[in-house]
Amino acid sequence: MNIKNIDPFAIYFDLRDGLSNKVESTKRYLSQMRGMYADEVSYEESLIKEDRLVYEFYELDIPQSSTNLMFGTSIVYPGKIGSEYFMTKGHFHTILEAAEVYYCLNGQGLIVMETPEGQTVVEKFQPGMAIYVPGRYAHRSVNTGTEPLVTFYVFPANAGHDYKTIEIKGFRVLVVEKNGEWTVVDNPKWG
Amino acid sequence: MNIKNIDPFAIYFDLRDGLSNKVESTKRYLSQMRGMYADEVSYEESLIKEDRLVYEFYELDIPQSSTNLMFGTSIVYPGKIGSEYFMTKGHFHTILEAAEVYYCLNGQGLIVMETPEGQTVVEKFQPGMAIYVPGRYAHRSVNTGTEPLVTFYVFPANAGHDYKTIEIKGFRVLVVEKNGEWTVVDNPKWG
């Protein structure tokens, strides 16, 4: 696709389930989440039972320039591994300063944000809540509810994704269920 | 607000009516739309009756750098001036190449897009429809329905707005009602 020549276009994402009827989503199954959950025994037990779809999102074919925008929906399904909720892998942007906006369409959850220096901020998703993720914050969506957590996201098209840092170090905090409610705890395996 | 120091934040925009409970919107009343409608007699007659709210939108206090994003909702109310539907003024971005994403939450309408060279593209808003406005396209939202047209928008925070060009020249096309349906016609007063 030529950077100079992108044409206007329309694409449908259902306001309720987040799914598009026009393009294929990228899917992350439990088998692709090895090492992301603190409780490795529960992870392996769960995976043997079923390789569940943890989340899916859309990646559109938009030129990766600073004046273009990437957008789509992200759908995190309800579930847990041990006491830890289903979540996205989470990522920094390759251009660390690039921000991202999330607008929650359905479901209940959290976004965990963390700078390389260790500042952690957690904001709550509920339908109608827009979350601003400033540059420098890695971010992960966590479904703490019983319905799919559906968000519409936009970020600068040249931002890129750095998944590796999180895959290696993890986030400094985990979101777990305790007495039937979510709580944020330190990640014993961080680093 | 310091560009280096923006913190993560959450802000609510109702998924149905688009309104926030946290910040004041910018409101555009009919009296602020003088010269924007083709039928000036109908405009003056309508204004004498009532200075109606045509549309409102949110402008958040986000640093205007290329790595930040501006976002919020836009609400265009149903109505007509003569046969021409209620609409936003429309604008180019000051950084002409800056794109914008709209995601329709409620209502029915159109987005009219136009380059300086005269390429015109019209896309249809309906709930769940995301519209990509590439750089170089001026854009205007038009409510062709009977409910508020509610969209969530995101653009690069340094994009800026050029309203003047449209205020002086108008768009090359108008959206009017004909036999109970919308239709796009040439703007006899363009230029």
Side-chain angles (χ1 to χ4, degrees), chain A residues 3 18 27 83 107 138 151 181 190:
Chain A
I3 289 186
K27 294 176 177 65
S83 63
T151 54
E181 298 200 343
W190 179 80

Side-chain angles (χ1 to χ4, degrees), chain B residues 107-123:
Chain B
Q108 302 288 332
L110 303 171
I111 186 161
V112 177
M113 297 172 270
E114 185 180 293
T115 64
E117 295 77 23
Q119 189 155 10
T120 299
V121 180
V122 175
E123 293 279 2

Side-chain angles (χ1 to χ4, degrees), chain A:
Chain A
M1 203 183 261
N2 189 308
I3 289 186
K4 299 284 177 209
N5 270 351
I6 183 167
D7 290 322
F9 66 91
I11 179 168
Y12 179 78
F13 296 104
D14 192 272
L15 277 159
R16 192 85 193 160
D17 64 24
L19 299 175
S20 179
N21 50 8
K22 213 173 175 178
V23 289
E24 272 296 301
S25 69
T26 301
K27 294 176 177 65
R28 297 278 184 249
Y29 290 91
L30 195 54
S31 56
Q32 297 167 283
M33 298 291 285
R34 178 161 277 122
M36 308 299 288
Y37 290 96
D39 184 342
E40 286 170 30
V41 174
S42 291
Y43 173 82
E44 298 298 342
E45 284 175 356
S46 187
L47 185 55
I48 285 169
K49 277 191 223 146
E50 189 189 345
D51 190 9
R52 294 165 69 189
L53 179 60
V54 179
Y55 66 102
E56 58 186 309
F57 60 100
Y58 291 91
E59 302 178 288
L60 302 180
D61 183 21
I62 291 170
Q64 295 180 22
S65 75
S66 63
T67 52
N68 276 311
L69 298 165
M70 285 289 182
F71 68 99
T73 51
S74 159
I75 303 123
V76 185
Y77 292 97
K80 277 183 302 178
I81 297 300
S83 63
E84 199 176 0
Y85 293 101
F86 270 21
M87 63 196 182
T88 61
K89 287 188 171 190
H91 59 269
F92 285 98
H93 289 146
T94 311
I95 295 180
L96 194 59
E97 299 294 336
E100 185 155 351
V101 173
Y102 286 84
Y103 185 55
C104 183
L105 306 176
N106 199 36
Q108 303 287 333
L110 302 172
I111 186 161
V112 177
M113 296 172 271
E114 185 179 293
T115 65
E117 295 76 23
Q119 189 155 10
T120 299
V121 180
V122 175
E123 293 280 0
K124 224 170 136 183
F125 277 132
Q126 62 183 66
M129 198 59 81
I131 310 279
Y132 192 73
V133 183
R136 303 190 59 77
Y137 281 85
H139 38 286
R140 158 180 287 172
S141 299
V142 182
N143 187 338
T144 57
T146 53
E147 286 186 66
L149 173 64
V150 182
T151 54
F152 182 79
Y153 65 81
V154 182
F155 60 90
N158 67 339
H161 290 95
D162 163 19
Y163 288 106
K164 266 276 164 292
T165 306
I166 298 299
E167 281 172 356
I168 293 167
K169 301 180 82 171
F171 275 79
R172 284 171 170 85
V173 297
L174 308 176
V175 184
V176 298
E177 189 186 68
K178 206 174 162 180
N179 305 323
E181 298 200 343
W182 63 263
T183 183
V184 178
V185 299
D186 284 341
N187 178 2
K189 294 183 176 171
W190 179 80

Side-chain angles (χ1 to χ4, degrees), chain B residues 22-35:
Chain B
K22 212 171 176 181
V23 290
E24 273 295 301
S25 68
T26 301
K27 294 176 177 67
R28 297 277 185 248
Y29 290 92
L30 195 52
S31 57
Q32 297 168 284
M33 297 291 283
R34 178 161 278 121

Side-chain angles (χ1 to χ4, degrees), chain B residues 23-150:
Chain B
V23 290
E24 273 295 301
S25 68
T26 301
K27 294 176 177 67
R28 297 277 185 248
Y29 290 92
L30 195 52
S31 57
Q32 297 168 284
M33 297 291 283
R34 178 161 278 121
M36 308 297 288
Y37 290 97
D39 184 343
E40 286 171 30
V41 175
S42 290
Y43 173 82
E44 297 300 341
E45 284 175 357
S46 186
L47 185 54
I48 284 169
K49 278 191 220 144
E50 189 188 346
D51 189 10
R52 293 164 69 188
L53 180 60
V54 179
Y55 66 102
E56 59 187 308
F57 60 100
Y58 291 91
E59 302 177 287
L60 302 180
D61 184 22
I62 291 170
Q64 296 180 23
S65 75
S66 63
T67 53
N68 276 310
L69 297 165
M70 285 289 183
F71 68 99
T73 50
S74 159
I75 304 122
V76 184
Y77 292 96
K80 277 184 301 176
I81 297 299
S83 62
E84 199 176 359
Y85 293 101
F86 270 20
M87 62 196 182
T88 61
K89 287 189 171 190
H91 60 268
F92 285 97
H93 288 146
T94 310
I95 295 180
L96 194 60
E97 299 293 335
E100 186 156 351
V101 172
Y102 285 84
Y103 186 54
C104 184
L105 307 176
N106 198 36
Q108 302 288 332
L110 303 171
I111 186 161
V112 177
M113 297 172 270
E114 185 180 293
T115 64
E117 295 77 23
Q119 189 155 10
T120 299
V121 180
V122 175
E123 293 279 2
K124 225 170 135 185
F125 277 133
Q126 61 184 65
M129 198 58 82
I131 311 279
Y132 192 72
V133 183
R136 304 189 59 78
Y137 281 86
H139 39 285
R140 157 180 287 171
S141 298
V142 182
N143 187 337
T144 58
T146 53
E147 285 188 66
L149 173 63
V150 182

